[in-house]
């Protein structure tokens, strides 16, 4: 059975586009978990983190979540680098694992100042996990501002 190609992936946060190769974590920079792009959120205060695609939340942690689309693609959004060490501090989760979401639904509110005060990076990798028959291509140039929910990646 051939998968139907899902729609474009949208930015889960407002900020500036960053190539994965520039993310200071080899798991993301070397695309070990899959291809994608990253966004550097702006500011030091709380930001909304929204669903980049519609689907079911198949994994949900305060610092990361995976949405499985109706086409069977898994999309990971990871909030910051090594932010698992914060043990949930600075994150307010608004959904539950297994819940169905639409593009743009708020998943988490993230207080960037908590991560920054801990010396952690706040770059947000958006990854199409390995196993997808499609290759994500960025729709924005590195360094380009992206709006919350604006198109970020297209699957080819």
């Amino acid at each position: 059975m051939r998968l139907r190609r899902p729609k474009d992936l949208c930015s889960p946060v407002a900020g500036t586009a960053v190539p994965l190769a520039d993310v200071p974590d080899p798991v993301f920079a070397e695309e070990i978990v899959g291809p994608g792009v990253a966004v550097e959120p702006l500011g030091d205060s709380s930001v909304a983190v929204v669903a980049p695609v519609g689907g079911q939340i198949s994994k949900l942690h305060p610092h990361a979540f995976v949405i499985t689309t109706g086409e069977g693609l898994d999309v990971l959004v990871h909030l910051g680098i090594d932010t698992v060490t914060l043990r949930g501090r600075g994150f307010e989760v608004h959904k539950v694992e297994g819940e169905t979401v639409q593009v743009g639904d708020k998943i988490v509110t993230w207080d960037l100042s908590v991560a920054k005060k801990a010396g952690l990076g706040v770059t947000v990798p958006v990854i199409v996990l390995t196993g997808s028959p499609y290759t994500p291509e960025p729709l924005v140039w590195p360094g380009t501002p992206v709006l919350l929910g604006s198109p970020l990646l297209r699957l080819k």
Side-chain angles (χ1 to χ4, degrees):
M1 181 173 131
R2 180 168 162 75
L3 291 176
R4 187 172 52 112
R5 188 174 65 167
K7 297 177 182 175
D8 296 343
L9 280 62
C10 296
S11 184
V13 295
T16 304
V18 176
L20 271 189
D22 291 350
V23 173
D25 183 327
V27 171
F28 300 114
E30 296 173 14
E31 299 187 2
I32 292 170
V33 290
V37 70
V39 179
E40 185 77 21
L42 300 175
D44 292 324
S45 60
S46 292
V47 297
V49 182
V50 303
V53 292
Q56 185 177 37
I57 300 173
S58 52
K59 286 288 180 195
L60 180 60
H61 302 282
H63 69 284
F65 58 88
V66 175
I67 296 176
T68 301
T69 70
E71 296 81 13
L73 297 176
D74 292 320
V75 177
L76 167 68
V77 176
H78 198 280
L79 306 178
I81 306 303
D82 294 330
T83 49
V84 66
T85 60
L86 295 173
R87 298 182 182 207
R89 284 186 301 118
F91 301 97
E92 180 183 356
V93 178
H94 303 288
K95 299 293 183 187
V96 297
E97 196 169 290
E99 191 169 349
T100 299
V101 294
Q102 304 298 316
V103 174
D105 284 356
K106 189 188 312 185
I107 309 292
V108 175
T109 300
W110 182 21
D111 184 349
L112 300 172
S113 69
V114 174
K116 289 184 175 184
K117 285 177 185 171
L120 302 173
V122 295
T123 305
V124 177
V126 180
I127 307 293
V128 176
L129 294 176
T130 55
S132 169
Y134 304 105
T135 302
E137 292 185 2
L139 293 172
V140 294
W141 291 99
T144 303
V146 292
L147 300 174
L148 179 68
S150 64
L152 187 64
L153 292 166
R154 175 163 292 149
L155 299 177
K156 297 279 182 171

